[in-house]
């Protein structure tokens, strides 16, 4: 896969991610392993400077909102490390 990919279960725990996902967010595979929560990953991204240009609280509120969880979405976000995150989400059925 040439793009970043990650998949979470209905409890927002990581199932799998690829190398590109780790690289774009400056994360290490020793920490970002299956079972880590999305909230933990968001916290890690803020600690390494690869989070969106919004507060951590606003980011978590957006990611946990009904609009993102229950519906397909396609969002482009500028990150603090000057990269761009093209985020696609799919309904989890929650």
């Amino acid at each position: 896969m040439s793009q970043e990919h990650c998949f979470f279960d209905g409890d927002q725990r990581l199932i799998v991610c690829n190398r590109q996902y780790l690289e774009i967010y400056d994360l290490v595979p020793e920490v970002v392993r299956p079972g880590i929560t999305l909230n933990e990953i968001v916290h890690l991204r803020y600690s390494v400077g690869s989070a969106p240009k919004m507060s951590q609280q606003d980011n978590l509120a957006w990611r946990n909102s009904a609009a993102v969880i229950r519906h397909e979405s396609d969002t482009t976000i500028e990150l603090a490390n000057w990269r761009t995150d093209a985020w696609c989400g799919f309904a989890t059925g929650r």
Side-chain angles (χ1 to χ4, degrees), residues 36-72:
I36 190 171
T37 66
L38 176 58
N39 287 357
E40 291 170 319
I41 291 173
V42 168
H43 177 74
L44 289 170
R45 288 179 54 197
Y46 276 90
S47 70
V48 299
S50 63
K53 291 184 173 182
M54 65 177 79
S55 74
Q56 184 172 349
Q57 182 177 2
D58 287 346
N59 185 4
L60 287 171
W62 171 75
R63 288 201 177 264
N64 292 320
S65 70
V68 172
I69 290 173
R70 294 195 181 109
H71 303 286
E72 292 185 20

